Amino acid sequence: MVKDISIYIHFPYCRSRCPYCDFFRALKPKAFDERELAERYLADLDGFLPYLAGRDVKSVFFGGGTPSILSPSVVGQVLDGIAERLPVCSGAEISLEANPNTFEREKFLAFRKAGINRLSLGVQALNAADLKFLGRTHSLEEALQAMELGVAAFPKFSVDLIYARPHQRWEDWQKEIDLALSFGLKHISLYQLTIEDGTVFARKNITGLDEELAASLYEQTVFYLRSQGLERYEVSNFAASGSESVHNLVYWQGGDYIGLGDGAHGRFSAGGKIFATVDGRIAEELISAERAEELLLMGLRIKRGINAAAFKQACEADLFSFVNRAAMDMLVRQGLLAVDNEGIRLTDTGFLLLDEIVCRLVSDC
């Protein structure tokens, strides 16, 4: 069975560096050739075409960086180029990440006209003090204006928020969640603030929320959003039924995707082989065990967990033979893992120990 293909397009620049970010590549140059960048993306795609015969494009995702810096006409140029080379599924999800500091009403509407039907807005906080703390260059008013247009203009719209900020209390966090939900959001992504080596926060010795307090805040958030109709379908993502991110589910469920541009990664199978792509090129062939371990890590991130049949199709390994069976049985007895003939999945409690559980399932650690 030939799989659909998803395409990730990486834009490497940001307008400013956030002090918590460890993905930062470069500030946007004063001038860069957008058309040349678009041609690079399509040239990368051309290199993959011999492997993609008979495939339809399921989703496209412009990420970064801050791809909303791009002109809508260039985004349209890339999307047109993809459609000229590969069939695109009817209703394919076409996503773009944006920041409120790139918000211009006419520009956002032009993105929609160019073919973007899902916008993910990096708000990160919904109060002025924490926006300043997080180094965001947009104001609360700009965030709210961008959210208002995002909900109105795009069939699928999501916002990103960061929690577990120093000294954060549930009462304050709930107010931000309620403000976000007041726009009628059907999808929201929530990321825990972690202080990574090499970031500005690390150099300033900023510390995040205490680990136990952060876990408690996360649990409260999960149950509160569930009461508001948004279910956790992935450890950091919450959605009303039918509003999940199609593209991101491709990653978590072991689907095939390619990455275009510097900094882009991909995984796809062809001719009985599994390939890893880096910077718009095939980097290496993965052995079955390597892909199986990746799929275990990614698949346990989602509520539905890992389907054994899909796992075997993606990496040619038997799920129940690949995992540490003794560890799996123990995790079931501890109420952290659910197992049946179809596959394995985390319980609500298990989500709090995701990394430890994955470690135990793939080794004796």
Side-chain angles (χ1 to χ4, degrees), residues 230-250:
L230 272 66
E231 182 61 54
R232 172 181 56 193
Y233 72 99
E234 190 269 344
V235 65
S236 298
N237 288 272
F238 302 76
S241 179
S243 295
E244 300 86 353
S245 169
V246 171
H247 186 89
N248 288 331
L249 280 169
V250 169

Side-chain angles (χ1 to χ4, degrees), residues 154-169:
F154 295 91
K156 299 179 79 173
F157 176 70
S158 178
V159 300
D160 294 353
L161 293 173
I162 292 175
Y163 72 97
R165 306 165 207 153
H167 313 298
Q168 189 174 35
R169 301 180 306 167

Side-chain angles (χ1 to χ4, degrees), residues 286-306:
L286 298 178
I287 63 173
S288 175
E290 291 174 318
R291 186 58 174 147
E293 188 168 333
E294 289 182 344
L295 293 175
L296 191 69
L297 173 61
M298 300 301 284
L300 284 179
R301 294 181 64 88
I302 59 176
K303 180 183 178 182
R304 68 186 68 171
I306 302 171

Side-chain angles (χ1 to χ4, degrees), residues 127-205:
N127 67 68
D130 283 345
L131 283 173
K132 182 178 180 180
F133 166 72
L134 292 170
R136 307 301 288 173
T137 57
H138 62 268
S139 67
L140 177 59
E141 181 179 359
E142 287 171 327
L144 298 178
Q145 289 175 346
M147 290 171 66
E148 183 176 14
L149 179 60
V151 169
F154 295 91
K156 299 179 79 173
F157 176 70
S158 178
V159 300
D160 294 353
L161 293 173
I162 292 175
Y163 72 97
R165 306 165 207 153
H167 313 298
Q168 189 174 35
R169 301 180 306 167
W170 167 250
E171 293 78 10
D172 299 324
W173 177 228
Q174 184 182 9
K175 289 178 183 177
E176 293 184 64
I177 294 173
D178 286 341
L179 178 55
L181 295 180
S182 71
F183 286 85
L185 293 181
K186 294 183 179 180
H187 191 287
I188 189 167
S189 299
L190 306 177
Y191 301 104
Q192 181 176 338
L193 177 64
T194 54
I195 310 301
E196 303 290 350
D197 292 342
T199 63
V200 174
F201 275 172
R203 292 198 296 271
K204 291 184 175 181
N205 294 318

